Amino acid sequence: SLTRPHRTVFMRAIEACDLHWQDPHLQHIITEDHYNNYCYHENLDGCLFDSRGWPLWHEHVPTACARVDALRSHGYPKEALRLAIAIINTLRRQQQKQLELFRGHKKELLHRGVTSVTNLEGWVGHPLDPIGTLFGTLMETGWGSDDGGTLDFSAGTCRKTENHVYMPLPFLEEGETFMSLAVETALIGLGQQRVMPDGLYAQEKVCRNEEQLLAKLQEVDLDEMLVKIFRKQATLLLEG
């Protein structure tokens, strides 16, 4: 097809050769705790910030999450965390935009038998495991620090438990924690409308990935905040 070039097994590797880290917006996201734009207005320049002025990162989701994994793997946990939060805020914004689009064209879409946005490439079961990467990054409760202390990110803040260094981390709603953000990310991934891939191995991988995510969710102790997130995502799925 002229509109859709043939993709081979080497395409991801070829595309990876063109990746770089010099984008100014990306550099600001991963290096600054308080990178924001509170004078933000909806415009046509790519929407680098949401309506709260918080940074967004619009990149193919598996590729963006591969950056997070690379940062974690090479000893940059805080940078990985900053980028992960920007990606998740982008996913939530896209989810809301898709719902608004559906609401605006509901009668027309239902008449055609369309009830949701279907993605040809799902995030759950994807070779780069984007949802698992985001979930793991947020649920990680401690990283080693240079002086032997432990950095604890479990409560939406960064604390050095031995030396009592406290540093608030930005871009979380009031009452929100990294755990609640991780749970919402897993639910967004599981609720994504996606086409089952061709091939038994790929299908088994998707099912195995789903089971792993569900098992991790079942290990989380539900509190009022997490129940609200389950309700929110269930409502979005039903409305869509």
Side-chain angles (χ1 to χ4, degrees):
S1 169
L2 293 175
T3 56
R4 190 175 178 190
H6 177 64
R7 289 180 66 83
T8 71
V9 294
F10 303 107
M11 290 308 293
R12 283 197 183 97
I14 292 170
E15 289 165 358
C17 293
D18 295 326
L19 289 178
H20 61 82
W21 294 81
Q22 280 73 49
D23 183 270
H25 184 58
L26 175 62
Q27 283 294 317
H28 284 305
I29 288 173
I30 65 177
T31 58
E32 297 178 27
D33 270 339
H34 299 282
Y35 174 52
N36 49 44
N37 179 6
Y38 291 117
C39 299
Y40 169 80
H41 297 286
E42 285 285 354
N43 51 44
L44 301 175
D45 66 355
C47 300
L48 301 181
F49 300 87
D50 64 15
S51 57
R52 300 166 298 188
W54 295 1
L56 304 172
W57 181 241
H58 292 279
E59 186 176 39
H60 183 52
V61 172
T63 304
C65 295
R67 292 185 188 273
V68 173
D69 194 41
L71 287 167
R72 286 180 70 195
S73 300
H74 289 84
Y76 297 95
K78 195 173 178 188
E79 288 81 355
L81 187 65
R82 292 188 188 116
L83 182 56
I85 292 173
I87 294 168
I88 293 162
N89 284 331
T90 308
L91 296 183
R92 293 198 289 192
R93 186 171 183 268
Q94 289 173 345
Q95 187 184 47
Q96 195 60 44
K97 290 277 186 185
Q98 287 180 348
L99 184 60
E100 289 169 6
L101 181 68
F102 175 70
R103 283 172 179 161
H105 300 84
K106 189 171 183 178
K107 288 184 179 178
E108 177 191 344
L109 291 171
L110 289 177
H111 180 70
R112 287 161 43 196
V114 178
T115 58
S116 185
V117 177
T118 300
N119 299 273
L120 296 176
E121 185 179 55
W123 301 329
V124 176
H126 190 281
L128 295 174
D129 190 23
I131 298 299
T133 296
L134 294 176
F135 187 88
T137 300
L138 291 162
M139 291 295 284
E140 186 77 42
T141 56
W143 285 288
S145 62
D146 293 337
D147 57 3
T150 300
L151 297 181
D152 178 19
F153 290 84
S154 57
T157 59
C158 173
R159 297 175 183 271
K160 191 171 291 182
T161 54
E162 290 184 9
N163 300 330
H164 306 292
V165 174
Y166 172 81
M167 178 182 61
L169 285 165
F171 310 134
L172 292 177
E173 297 280 6
E174 186 177 350
E176 193 172 54
T177 66
F178 292 139
M179 181 181 289
S180 67
L181 205 58
V183 167
E184 186 164 12
T185 302
L187 294 175
I188 290 173
L190 289 167
Q192 182 197 31
Q193 301 301 304
R194 54 197 183 273
V195 174
M196 182 64 88
D198 296 327
L200 285 176
Y201 174 74
Q203 291 174 12
E204 287 174 5
K205 191 171 184 180
V206 169
C207 293
R208 192 161 57 247
N209 228 181
E210 287 178 348
E211 289 168 0
Q212 289 170 351
L213 269 176
L214 289 169
K216 289 174 182 175
L217 285 175
Q218 288 170 346
E219 292 174 2
V220 176
D221 293 327
L222 291 182
D223 57 20
E224 189 177 347
M225 179 72 179
L226 295 180
V227 170
K228 283 181 180 177
I229 290 170
F230 272 90
R231 285 176 180 157
K232 171 191 169 185
Q233 288 299 323
T235 300
L236 289 173
L237 282 174
L238 287 168
E239 286 189 31

